[in-house]
Amino acid sequence: MPHSPVTTTLIVTWRSENYGRFDGARSAFRLYDTVDLDDVAVARIHTAATKAGYFWEAGRCAWIAWADSARGRFIAGLEALGYAVEHAGSWRGPDDPKAPPASDPEAR
């Protein structure tokens, strides 16, 4: 019987960081479940976040982006790395009532 690979699921906890000096930020998230990943995997996830337009804000312990398209690019980046993505927090994914409108290029 062939071995079937197990896909790691990452839960992205979306946050609202729109206050103080981050007023106007388009999206923010935290990843709590990377502690079970090795350093190389974590570095790849951080690279995907950076390429998507996020920056790490240590004071908020969150990745924050100003670009409208960052959320969609980050999700696509995680999927390209082979991760399944679940959503939690202030946005629970493309089917959430709070999801961007279908005409929004970020909607997936």
Side-chain angles (χ1 to χ4, degrees):
M1 174 182 233
H3 173 70
S4 65
V6 175
T7 301
T8 299
T9 300
L10 294 178
I11 300 171
V12 180
T13 304
W14 299 99
R15 307 200 22 98
S16 173
E17 299 290 342
N18 272 329
Y19 54 91
R21 70 185 185 107
F22 299 107
D23 185 38
R26 303 301 295 161
S27 65
F29 71 89
R30 291 180 181 171
L31 287 173
Y32 295 105
D33 52 1
T34 58
V35 294
D36 294 331
L37 301 175
D38 64 28
D39 291 343
V40 172
V42 172
R44 287 181 180 148
I45 292 167
H46 290 178
T47 298
T50 302
K51 285 182 179 179
Y54 288 91
F55 70 94
W56 174 250
E57 170 54 45
R60 298 274 172 88
C61 294
W63 289 87
I64 299 173
W66 301 99
D68 286 333
S69 59
R71 182 169 35 202
R73 288 194 319 249
F74 180 58
I75 294 167
L78 291 178
E79 291 171 346
L81 289 171
Y83 295 103
V85 180
E86 290 184 16
H87 306 277
S90 64
W91 184 69
R92 297 188 186 277
D95 297 325
D96 187 327
K98 292 188 272 180
S103 61
D104 185 330
E106 184 173 322
R108 294 180 25 94

